[in-house]
Amino acid sequence: MKRLLTAAIGTPVMLAGVFLLRGVWFFVFDAFFITWAAREYLAMMRPRAPHAPLGLFLPLVPLAAVAMSLRQPAAPDGPLQLLIAGMVVSLGLGSLALLSRTPLQETIASFGIFGFGIPYFAVPIASIYRLQDRDPWLVFLLLAIVWLGDTAAFYVGSRFGRHKMAPVVSPLKSWEGAAAGFLTGVFAAAVWGIWRLGRLDPGLVALAGLTAVAAQVGDLVESMLKRGLGVKDSGDALPGHGGILDRCDALLFAAPVLFVGAWLLRLGPSTALPAW
């Protein structure tokens, strides 16, 4: 009951933000929830590096997302830009650990917390923002693939699941549930394509399949993190669901996949029918 009540309240709030907010206001809305998830991640990770400068983690997540969200002018030096970004990350993390005098036994853990954690949260913030900037209905598509797929996987897996998908990482997940989630996400995208584009687009259907797979991988990765840390839920912010991270773990991997695919397929206002 708590799970359904939380969904009944949370879903309209998310959709209102997607369709009513624009520009910087939507970025703040987007970043608020995912940075909250980052806060839960940090709380779980802190015991592994208690003396590292982890207080800088939360400010760096939205700052990195802002940098990724800025429109970049066309430039022939793309590889050079990637090298510069890699240099900033490696030099920055190394200098941060050195100057903060992080204990040697916590160095590797702190590198992992920052090196994995910042892109883990900043990339989806930027991806969702850019999707909404391109067309709010693309964020609706993302939520449909992830949320409907997750719901189908949960109920089908609970009722018909017989073959364990990843028993060590997530004992309750089954291949039957995963198949239901995948097919539901693809079906949702097919309906979205007919509704918004006026046709069944094979490229969109393929992209939905990749997004659905990425969502399930994101779910399993968060389960792996929690199991490795001996934690059941990332938090208790959402009754019946656990923490914000528990609810958006699939989005963290699905959003960048859908954004890149939408860019390659040129999905956006120019290809969409007028909104009702």
Side-chain angles (χ1 to χ4, degrees):
M1 187 64 183
K2 288 182 179 180
R3 187 181 181 94
L4 292 176
L5 182 60
T6 299
I9 296 173
T11 301
V13 170
M14 293 302 298
L15 292 178
V18 169
F19 288 103
L20 298 180
L21 300 176
R22 299 294 292 176
V24 67
W25 295 111
F26 179 74
F27 181 89
V28 171
F29 178 81
D30 171 25
F32 172 78
F33 288 102
I34 297 184
T35 303
W36 190 337
R39 176 177 171 272
E40 295 175 346
Y41 163 88
L42 185 61
M44 292 191 297
M45 293 293 179
R46 190 175 294 277
R48 297 300 177 99
H51 302 98
L54 299 184
L56 294 173
F57 179 81
L58 289 183
L60 287 175
V61 167
L63 284 175
V66 168
M68 296 176 194
S69 300
L70 296 175
R71 296 187 181 277
Q72 300 294 329
D77 296 326
L80 178 59
Q81 291 174 323
L82 290 176
L83 287 173
I84 293 174
M87 181 188 69
V88 169
V89 171
S90 60
L91 182 61
L93 287 178
S95 300
L96 183 63
L98 186 63
L99 294 176
S100 64
R101 299 183 180 181
T102 300
L104 294 180
Q105 63 272 24
E106 297 179 15
T107 302
I108 301 301
S110 65
F111 284 167
I113 293 169
F114 279 98
F116 172 77
I118 290 176
Y120 184 43
F121 296 103
V123 171
I125 291 174
S127 298
I128 294 171
Y129 169 74
R130 294 297 296 272
L131 279 171
Q132 199 260 4
D133 184 58
R134 197 174 185 91
D135 182 0
W137 286 102
L138 289 172
V139 182
F140 180 87
L141 173 62
L142 171 68
L143 297 178
I145 293 172
V146 173
W147 287 355
L148 293 178
D150 179 67
T151 301
F154 176 79
Y155 286 107
V156 171
S158 299
R159 179 68 177 84
F160 302 104
R162 296 293 182 272
H163 301 86
K164 300 301 182 183
M165 186 179 183
V168 175
V169 173
S170 186
L172 297 180
K173 287 184 171 55
S174 67
W175 284 108
E176 291 84 356
F182 175 84
L183 293 174
T184 300
V186 169
F187 178 75
V191 172
W192 186 94
I194 294 171
W195 175 32
R196 295 295 301 161
L197 308 179
R199 65 184 187 277
L200 181 61
D201 190 319
L204 175 61
V205 171
L207 173 59
L210 291 174
T211 303
V213 170
Q216 297 196 32
V217 172
D219 195 337
L220 288 171
V221 166
E222 199 241 353
S223 294
M224 181 172 63
L225 288 174
K226 291 190 298 183
R227 190 158 290 273
L229 294 167
V231 175
K232 183 179 183 296
D233 294 320
S234 66
D236 56 4
L238 302 175
H241 293 270
I244 300 292
L245 179 56
D246 295 320
R247 193 66 188 117
C248 74
D249 52 4
L251 279 173
L252 299 182
F253 278 25
V257 171
L258 185 65
F259 170 67
V260 171
W263 177 73
L264 291 174
L265 295 175
R266 300 184 183 279
L267 295 174
S270 63
T271 58
L273 296 174
W276 290 4

